[in-house]
Amino acid sequence: MRPAFYITTAIDYPNGAPHIGHAYEKIASDALARFKKLDGYDVFFLTGTDEHGLKMAQTAEKQGLTPLEWATKNATRFQEMDALLGVDYDRFIRTTDADHIASTQAIWQRMVESGDIYAGAYSGWYSVRDEAYYAEDETTVNPDGVRLGPQGTPVEWTEEKSYFFRLSAYQQKLLDYYDAHPDFIRPEVRRNEVTSFVRGGLQDLSISRTTFSWGIPVPGDPDHVMYVWVDALTNYITGVGYPDTTSESFQRYWPANLHIIGKDIIRFHAVYWPAFLMSAGIEPPKTVFAHGFIHNRGEKMSKSVGNVIDPFDLARAYGVDALRYFLLREIPFGQDGSYSHDAIVARTNADLANDLGNLAQRSLSMIAKNLGGALPAPGPLSDDDATILASADAMGAKVREAMEGQQIHNALAAIWSVVADANRYFAGAAPWELRKTAPERFGTVLWTTAEVVRQVALLAQPFIPTSAGKLLDLLAVPEDARSFATLGEAGRLVGGTALPAPVGVFPRYVEPEAPAAS
Ligand code: ME8
């Protein structure tokens, strides 16, 4: 039986169209999920939308729609984005789904039974934009007299009847848990941030609201709806069958291996979520990994500045795989990064079109032109042939190690370092000079190059699935020989195989011509 691997993304607020930050997280999670699938795991990949809460209710009202109409309209856009970008999830969960409502009420009930929920009244600061409560000392007042939370969003004074979760009782349990599970919060910088926040002391958390109704009703007290984060976090267990903890899927996939989220929501995932789970008698997830933020040419994106980037536009302008490659290669996963036209064009043309595209195109056209499209069989290997082949064979382990540590950019760097070596090898061997004088060497160099390209394409599949698939088509690698089990010796290309006519796989980005002056 294949080992299980359960990976999730944050569920997005469908409070408008998706932006590049949403696309980035889904693409990265998709690459991690695809990698594990190709590496022999039984993967379950969950993503979706977070549809309740005051922010959703307020914007829906402005649009003249019911919250569900507004959520549905935008959730569709998120699904279209995933389809366009090749985000190959197993379930798209919406927090308005009936099974999720039942699941959230069930975990609430478990927390009541453990004595962790009590009735009271909340008074304090609340940010609607972050859907978060903040202590007074976390807020500041800006020069215009507006009080802001730690993420720079306005907070408002809130007073209402509320149920509370006894978070204060979990301070030591959480600290002990972090100690015993060094991989629970990644990367290190986030782990330190969370640990020091928890060391500073935890207050009980207000977990229900009575001043609006767009949420999941509290069992037994329908005047209250649950705080949207109780509802949102629970999606991760609903997705695998909670509250049926004996179900095959819950048994198989929980605890999740990896929650991928952005750095702004680490506190919810690494403090509240494990505390809720401990209270309900459920094991916490294995790893919460917080990625960084994407800025537009170094500036924070915001609707009010008008510099929010539309992922649909980017995919149309550059191509899906170029966009995926750029985001995953350029930004060290876990750190902030910047998007710019020049940077994406530079990556597309240098790494994809020149380095990998030309290598494949040049070697495969020589086979087509001179050998009637039949892959040559290798003769005895020279030292150079053996060296480049050994680098290709060693690549799988390096890429795997990087991916195990969520170092997606390093995985790509490891692949493209072999691409660079292969280009040097190809230029040094100069097969175009061997064609007439040393036909056996000619064949060996072309076979060796094609075999390196095969392994590069295999390993590139999680990141640039369509283009890598096309490269494997050009090498006549059958669909059932594309998993990582075929890396190295196990899947060597066989001399004599008929290859299809080579076509370019990685178009160069050419600036569109300026419209002619009229
Ligand atoms: O936070 N760059 O939803 P959301 C990179 N519903 N990532 C970004 C980003 C940017 N510029 N902007 C946002 C929520 N993100 C909650 C999550 S999970 C149980 C509930 C990331 O639509 C952000 O960090 O505001 C988060 O991981 C995801 O996009 C959804 O953000």
PDB file of all heavy atoms in Angstrom, residues 60-76:
ATOM      1  N   ALA A  60     -20.885  41.600   0.610  1.00  0.00           N
ATOM      2  CA  ALA A  60     -22.059  41.112  -0.129  1.00  0.00           C
ATOM      3  C   ALA A  60     -23.144  42.181  -0.104  1.00  0.00           C
ATOM      4  O   ALA A  60     -23.758  42.476  -1.135  1.00  0.00           O
ATOM      5  CB  ALA A  60     -22.563  39.815   0.489  1.00  0.00           C
ATOM      6  N   GLU A  61     -23.340  42.757   1.063  1.00  0.00           N
ATOM      7  CA  GLU A  61     -24.392  43.768   1.193  1.00  0.00           C
ATOM      8  C   GLU A  61     -24.127  44.957   0.263  1.00  0.00           C
ATOM      9  O   GLU A  61     -25.021  45.437  -0.414  1.00  0.00           O
ATOM     10  CB  GLU A  61     -24.485  44.221   2.651  1.00  0.00           C
ATOM     11  CG  GLU A  61     -25.788  44.944   2.909  1.00  0.00           C
ATOM     12  CD  GLU A  61     -25.945  45.370   4.360  1.00  0.00           C
ATOM     13  OE1 GLU A  61     -25.257  44.805   5.246  1.00  0.00           O
ATOM     14  OE2 GLU A  61     -26.751  46.291   4.597  1.00  0.00           O
ATOM     15  N   LYS A  62     -22.855  45.365   0.220  1.00  0.00           N
ATOM     16  CA  LYS A  62     -22.494  46.474  -0.685  1.00  0.00           C
ATOM     17  C   LYS A  62     -22.787  46.112  -2.137  1.00  0.00           C
ATOM     18  O   LYS A  62     -23.090  46.968  -2.953  1.00  0.00           O
ATOM     19  CB  LYS A  62     -21.008  46.806  -0.543  1.00  0.00           C
ATOM     20  CG  LYS A  62     -20.728  47.720   0.625  1.00  0.00           C
ATOM     21  CD  LYS A  62     -19.272  48.192   0.624  1.00  0.00           C
ATOM     22  CE  LYS A  62     -18.825  48.486   2.036  1.00  0.00           C
ATOM     23  NZ  LYS A  62     -17.511  47.932   2.360  1.00  0.00           N
ATOM     24  N   GLN A  63     -22.645  44.829  -2.472  1.00  0.00           N
ATOM     25  CA  GLN A  63     -22.880  44.388  -3.846  1.00  0.00           C
ATOM     26  C   GLN A  63     -24.376  44.166  -4.113  1.00  0.00           C
ATOM     27  O   GLN A  63     -24.741  43.790  -5.226  1.00  0.00           O
ATOM     28  CB  GLN A  63     -22.164  43.061  -4.112  1.00  0.00           C
ATOM     29  CG  GLN A  63     -20.666  43.080  -3.874  1.00  0.00           C
ATOM     30  CD  GLN A  63     -19.938  43.871  -4.954  1.00  0.00           C
ATOM     31  OE1 GLN A  63     -20.335  43.830  -6.109  1.00  0.00           O
ATOM     32  NE2 GLN A  63     -18.892  44.581  -4.574  1.00  0.00           N
ATOM     33  N   GLY A  64     -25.174  44.278  -3.098  1.00  0.00           N
ATOM     34  CA  GLY A  64     -26.602  44.008  -3.272  1.00  0.00           C
ATOM     35  C   GLY A  64     -26.901  42.527  -3.459  1.00  0.00           C
ATOM     36  O   GLY A  64     -27.886  42.163  -4.105  1.00  0.00           O
ATOM     37  N   LEU A  65     -26.045  41.670  -2.928  1.00  0.00           N
ATOM     38  CA  LEU A  65     -26.245  40.223  -3.060  1.00  0.00           C
ATOM     39  C   LEU A  65     -26.359  39.603  -1.676  1.00  0.00           C
ATOM     40  O   LEU A  65     -25.926  40.205  -0.685  1.00  0.00           O
ATOM     41  CB  LEU A  65     -25.037  39.589  -3.781  1.00  0.00           C
ATOM     42  CG  LEU A  65     -24.777  40.030  -5.221  1.00  0.00           C
ATOM     43  CD1 LEU A  65     -23.469  39.425  -5.720  1.00  0.00           C
ATOM     44  CD2 LEU A  65     -25.939  39.607  -6.126  1.00  0.00           C
ATOM     45  N   THR A  66     -26.901  38.389  -1.614  1.00  0.00           N
ATOM     46  CA  THR A  66     -26.834  37.671  -0.344  1.00  0.00           C
ATOM     47  C   THR A  66     -25.389  37.194  -0.196  1.00  0.00           C
ATOM     48  O   THR A  66     -24.679  37.030  -1.201  1.00  0.00           O
ATOM     49  CB  THR A  66     -27.759  36.441  -0.335  1.00  0.00           C
ATOM     50  OG1 THR A  66     -27.258  35.505  -1.285  1.00  0.00           O
ATOM     51  CG2 THR A  66     -29.193  36.813  -0.661  1.00  0.00           C
ATOM     52  N   PRO A  67     -24.962  36.939   1.051  1.00  0.00           N
ATOM     53  CA  PRO A  67     -23.583  36.462   1.222  1.00  0.00           C
ATOM     54  C   PRO A  67     -23.298  35.189   0.412  1.00  0.00           C
ATOM     55  O   PRO A  67     -22.219  35.054  -0.169  1.00  0.00           O
ATOM     56  CB  PRO A  67     -23.480  36.199   2.725  1.00  0.00           C
ATOM     57  CG  PRO A  67     -24.528  37.058   3.354  1.00  0.00           C
ATOM     58  CD  PRO A  67     -25.632  37.182   2.344  1.00  0.00           C
ATOM     59  N   LEU A  68     -24.282  34.297   0.342  1.00  0.00           N
ATOM     60  CA  LEU A  68     -24.046  33.055  -0.404  1.00  0.00           C
ATOM     61  C   LEU A  68     -23.924  33.314  -1.908  1.00  0.00           C
ATOM     62  O   LEU A  68     -23.079  32.712  -2.577  1.00  0.00           O
ATOM     63  CB  LEU A  68     -25.152  32.029  -0.122  1.00  0.00           C
ATOM     64  CG  LEU A  68     -24.901  30.656  -0.761  1.00  0.00           C
ATOM     65  CD1 LEU A  68     -23.605  30.020  -0.238  1.00  0.00           C
ATOM     66  CD2 LEU A  68     -26.076  29.708  -0.510  1.00  0.00           C
ATOM     67  N   GLU A  69     -24.727  34.237  -2.420  1.00  0.00           N
ATOM     68  CA  GLU A  69     -24.607  34.573  -3.857  1.00  0.00           C
ATOM     69  C   GLU A  69     -23.229  35.162  -4.160  1.00  0.00           C
ATOM     70  O   GLU A  69     -22.576  34.812  -5.147  1.00  0.00           O
ATOM     71  CB  GLU A  69     -25.686  35.591  -4.265  1.00  0.00           C
ATOM     72  CG  GLU A  69     -27.075  35.003  -4.409  1.00  0.00           C
ATOM     73  CD  GLU A  69     -28.178  36.074  -4.480  1.00  0.00           C
ATOM     74  OE1 GLU A  69     -27.916  37.265  -4.176  1.00  0.00           O
ATOM     75  OE2 GLU A  69     -29.291  35.697  -4.825  1.00  0.00           O
ATOM     76  N   TRP A  70     -22.810  36.057  -3.280  1.00  0.00           N
ATOM     77  CA  TRP A  70     -21.504  36.715  -3.459  1.00  0.00           C
ATOM     78  C   TRP A  70     -20.367  35.682  -3.370  1.00  0.00           C
ATOM     79  O   TRP A  70     -19.463  35.644  -4.198  1.00  0.00           O
ATOM     80  CB  TRP A  70     -21.372  37.819  -2.403  1.00  0.00           C
ATOM     81  CG  TRP A  70     -20.071  38.545  -2.318  1.00  0.00           C
ATOM     82  CD1 TRP A  70     -19.292  38.658  -1.205  1.00  0.00           C
ATOM     83  CD2 TRP A  70     -19.409  39.286  -3.347  1.00  0.00           C
ATOM     84  NE1 TRP A  70     -18.189  39.423  -1.479  1.00  0.00           N
ATOM     85  CE2 TRP A  70     -18.224  39.809  -2.786  1.00  0.00           C
ATOM     86  CE3 TRP A  70     -19.689  39.538  -4.701  1.00  0.00           C
ATOM     87  CZ2 TRP A  70     -17.325  40.585  -3.520  1.00  0.00           C
ATOM     88  CZ3 TRP A  70     -18.784  40.317  -5.437  1.00  0.00           C
ATOM     89  CH2 TRP A  70     -17.621  40.828  -4.844  1.00  0.00           C
ATOM     90  N   ALA A  71     -20.470  34.807  -2.373  1.00  0.00           N
ATOM     91  CA  ALA A  71     -19.433  33.784  -2.184  1.00  0.00           C
ATOM     92  C   ALA A  71     -19.392  32.835  -3.387  1.00  0.00           C
ATOM     93  O   ALA A  71     -18.320  32.475  -3.876  1.00  0.00           O
ATOM     94  CB  ALA A  71     -19.710  32.997  -0.905  1.00  0.00           C
ATOM     95  N   THR A  72     -20.567  32.470  -3.874  1.00  0.00           N
ATOM     96  CA  THR A  72     -20.632  31.512  -4.978  1.00  0.00           C
ATOM     97  C   THR A  72     -20.024  32.106  -6.244  1.00  0.00           C
ATOM     98  O   THR A  72     -19.262  31.447  -6.961  1.00  0.00           O
ATOM     99  CB  THR A  72     -22.106  31.099  -5.233  1.00  0.00           C
ATOM    100  OG1 THR A  72     -22.620  30.568  -4.018  1.00  0.00           O
ATOM    101  CG2 THR A  72     -22.212  30.063  -6.332  1.00  0.00           C
ATOM    102  N   LYS A  73     -20.363  33.364  -6.477  1.00  0.00           N
ATOM    103  CA  LYS A  73     -19.846  34.046  -7.659  1.00  0.00           C
ATOM    104  C   LYS A  73     -18.308  34.023  -7.657  1.00  0.00           C
ATOM    105  O   LYS A  73     -17.666  33.687  -8.661  1.00  0.00           O
ATOM    106  CB  LYS A  73     -20.364  35.491  -7.607  1.00  0.00           C
ATOM    107  CG  LYS A  73     -20.001  36.323  -8.774  1.00  0.00           C
ATOM    108  CD  LYS A  73     -20.697  37.679  -8.695  1.00  0.00           C
ATOM    109  CE  LYS A  73     -20.080  38.499  -9.811  1.00  0.00           C
ATOM    110  NZ  LYS A  73     -20.006  39.863  -9.624  1.00  0.00           N
ATOM    111  N   ASN A  74     -17.728  34.353  -6.508  1.00  0.00           N
ATOM    112  CA  ASN A  74     -16.263  34.420  -6.448  1.00  0.00           C
ATOM    113  C   ASN A  74     -15.619  33.050  -6.313  1.00  0.00           C
ATOM    114  O   ASN A  74     -14.530  32.827  -6.855  1.00  0.00           O
ATOM    115  CB  ASN A  74     -15.832  35.345  -5.320  1.00  0.00           C
ATOM    116  CG  ASN A  74     -16.139  36.792  -5.657  1.00  0.00           C
ATOM    117  OD1 ASN A  74     -15.754  37.276  -6.706  1.00  0.00           O
ATOM    118  ND2 ASN A  74     -16.871  37.454  -4.778  1.00  0.00           N
ATOM    119  N   ALA A  75     -16.278  32.142  -5.600  1.00  0.00           N
ATOM    120  CA  ALA A  75     -15.707  30.792  -5.474  1.00  0.00           C
ATOM    121  C   ALA A  75     -15.515  30.195  -6.872  1.00  0.00           C
ATOM    122  O   ALA A  75     -14.531  29.508  -7.155  1.00  0.00           O
ATOM    123  CB  ALA A  75     -16.606  29.902  -4.622  1.00  0.00           C
ATOM    124  N   THR A  76     -16.445  30.504  -7.768  1.00  0.00           N
ATOM    125  CA  THR A  76     -16.321  30.028  -9.144  1.00  0.00           C
ATOM    126  C   THR A  76     -15.055  30.574  -9.800  1.00  0.00           C
ATOM    127  O   THR A  76     -14.351  29.853 -10.507  1.00  0.00           O
ATOM    128  CB  THR A  76     -17.572  30.469  -9.949  1.00  0.00           C
ATOM    129  OG1 THR A  76     -18.717  30.027  -9.236  1.00  0.00           O
ATOM    130  CG2 THR A  76     -17.582  29.914 -11.339  1.00  0.00           C
TER     131      THR A  76
END
